[in-house]
Amino acid sequence: MLLLKKLSEAAGVSGCENEVRNILKEELKEYADFKTDALGNLLFEKKNKGKKPRIMLAAHMDEVGLMITSILKNGFLKFESVGGIDDRILVSKTVTIGPNKIKGVIGAKPIHRQDPKERENALKIKNLYIDIGAKDQEDAEKKVKIGDYACFDTEFEIFGENIVKGKALDDRIGCFVVAEILKRNYEVEICGAFTVQEEIGLRGSGVAAYQLKPDVAIVVEGTFASDVPGTKEEEYNTVLGMGPAVTTMDRSFIANKGMRDRVFEVAKKNNIPCQPRRTNLGGTDGGRIQSIGEGIPTIVISVPTRYIHSPVSVADINDINNTILLINSLILDYQERGV
Ligand code: CO
């Protein structure tokens, strides 16, 4: 879990994934060859060229966050969101800004100063600002520039029994799973990418798949779990502790049926818990990858994760380990039986 802690605590808002990229490159340098493309995708190739099928693994490095858009005369910062964030969860959260990790607090007009109507409405981003403890604009400009990214400031921890909490588990959890697979040896060709800019419209993965030209692709995600109070059972997407979730359809694509059936078969044969993802909400790199070149059969396998796209998300270590086991078994099945 030490690698997952490092990945979770690294700053990597869409378009600024270098910290995450550097951790993965350093961790995995003895297991694969790496190349960073023009967009920032970290492409990899295991040193076992030749045996088919050529399997692509993909997980996105970027996370949702904020970008500084102006520095006010009184030293406070205004910002916009990068990726899908619920404005209502932002107030009073702490962030780190820019490469020097300047500490900041997201603030709003005090409740005492809000008129009754304001108190009834949720705070919008335009009503919020970041306080970096600066005296004035000049002082703030010494520390922060317009265009700097702000990232939630959350420590990764284990709590409960085998449960982790931390920021950006969507999709550092996927990066962690792919990293653990890369440390194993296979006879089939394993290639893939840690992708960029997924959270702002799946912008990196297509470029990666175009370069890699795989026979099949497996996208590893942290998808939302809605097994929480206030949600009816029929609205559950995934449930913590029930194993990796396999997508049937989401807003970006319909998963390859043959591959999807095969995943459930392999899971059953190897006694690995596995659940269907039950809603069609959200989109993933899978949607982009499948339509590259002559088309690439693609599936998405996700670790159920509560509270994604917020400063702190929650996942089950057993689900993470079972996702690694399932993908490992699937690759071995491809090795044995081909496509
Ligand atoms: Co994601």
Side-chain angles (χ1 to χ4, degrees):
M1 287 296 113
L2 195 65
L3 175 61
L4 182 57
K5 179 179 168 69
K6 260 203 242 172
L7 289 168
S8 168
E9 289 177 357
V13 179
S14 309
C16 188
E17 298 89 353
N18 54 302
E19 270 185 39
V20 184
R21 191 165 49 235
N22 290 339
I23 292 169
L24 289 165
K25 239 190 328 193
E26 181 57 32
E27 174 81 16
L28 299 168
K29 59 183 178 212
E30 59 186 286
Y31 303 101
D33 295 323
F34 286 96
K35 183 191 134 188
T36 304
D37 72 11
L39 278 189
N41 293 305
L42 181 59
L43 308 181
F44 56 81
E45 196 81 56
K46 285 280 280 180
K47 295 158 186 158
N48 55 349
K49 303 209 82 174
K51 199 165 170 193
K52 294 285 178 182
R54 180 169 166 80
I55 302 173
M56 172 181 179
L57 300 169
H60 67 89
M61 296 186 285
D62 62 313
E63 67 189 287
V64 299
L66 312 169
M67 187 185 276
I68 308 305
T69 51
S70 63
I71 302 174
L72 305 179
K73 288 204 176 60
N74 50 18
F76 294 109
L77 317 176
K78 296 295 284 181
F79 61 92
E80 281 297 339
S81 59
V82 180
I85 297 185
D86 181 349
D87 290 8
R88 294 170 299 178
I89 56 106
L90 288 172
V91 70
S92 299
K93 301 303 186 303
T94 54
V95 293
T96 62
I97 306 160
N100 297 322
K101 299 200 180 286
I102 303 301
K103 298 268 180 184
V105 176
I106 301 176
K109 186 159 87 171
I111 187 153
H112 321 79
R113 276 261 168 241
Q114 293 171 17
D115 59 45
K117 211 173 154 214
E118 279 179 309
R119 288 187 198 184
E120 272 172 30
N121 293 320
L123 290 162
K124 297 229 164 53
I125 278 199
K126 66 175 176 21
N127 306 117
L128 302 171
Y129 54 83
I130 300 175
D131 182 343
I132 56 167
K135 285 199 292 283
D136 52 26
Q137 184 175 12
E138 203 192 328
D139 188 25
E141 280 171 348
K142 284 182 205 148
K143 296 169 185 149
V144 170
K145 286 196 294 290
I146 289 173
D148 275 355
Y149 287 93
C151 184
F152 296 121
D153 184 17
T154 308
E155 196 191 337
F156 177 92
E157 284 176 311
I158 298 177
F159 73 124
E161 253 180 71
N162 271 315
I163 307 290
V164 293
K165 64 183 171 78
K167 74 164 180 69
L169 296 184
D170 166 19
D171 186 26
R172 302 295 154 70
I173 242 172
C175 294
F176 175 76
V177 168
V178 170
E180 292 304 310
I181 293 290
L182 272 187
K183 292 175 182 172
R184 299 173 183 224
N185 284 318
Y186 301 101
E187 285 163 23
V188 284
E189 271 185 41
I190 303 290
C191 64
F194 296 106
T195 66
V196 295
Q197 300 188 29
E198 192 269 355
E199 296 290 1
I200 48 171
L202 321 178
R203 294 179 191 170
S205 55
V207 173
Y210 174 81
Q211 296 169 82
L212 292 166
K213 298 180 174 55
D215 298 315
V216 294
I218 304 167
V219 175
V220 191
E221 261 289 2
T223 194
F224 74 94
S226 45
D227 55 336
V228 293
T231 311
K232 294 194 205 97
E233 196 186 337
E234 62 260 38
E235 292 165 349
Y236 285 2
N237 182 47
T238 64
V239 176
L240 245 65
M242 279 182 58
V246 185
T247 299
T248 307
M249 170 170 94
D250 64 25
R251 293 271 191 262
S252 65
F253 92 133
I254 294 171
N256 179 274
K257 186 167 183 311
M259 287 182 82
R260 188 159 51 81
D261 290 346
R262 191 168 181 157
V263 174
F264 283 108
E265 245 173 69
V266 166
K268 200 170 168 196
K269 206 168 103 192
N270 294 280
N271 264 320
I272 303 165
C274 177
Q275 57 184 313
R277 190 176 183 274
R278 301 187 212 167
T279 75
N280 62 356
L281 304 171
T284 61
D285 277 343
R288 196 53 57 90
I289 291 169
Q290 70 160 4
S291 57
I292 295 302
E294 293 169 31
I296 301 166
T298 302
I299 47 162
V300 178
I301 299 180
S302 305
V303 178
T305 309
R306 292 182 189 140
Y307 329 123
I308 61 171
H309 293 206
S310 87
V312 58
S313 36
V314 166
D316 186 326
I317 294 174
N318 292 324
D319 289 337
I320 300 172
N321 289 335
N322 281 323
T323 306
I324 297 167
L325 284 180
L326 181 59
I327 293 171
N328 176 64
S329 303
L330 183 64
I331 295 172
L332 292 177
D333 191 67
Y334 273 117
Q335 196 166 293
E336 225 174 83
R337 299 197 290 141
V339 263

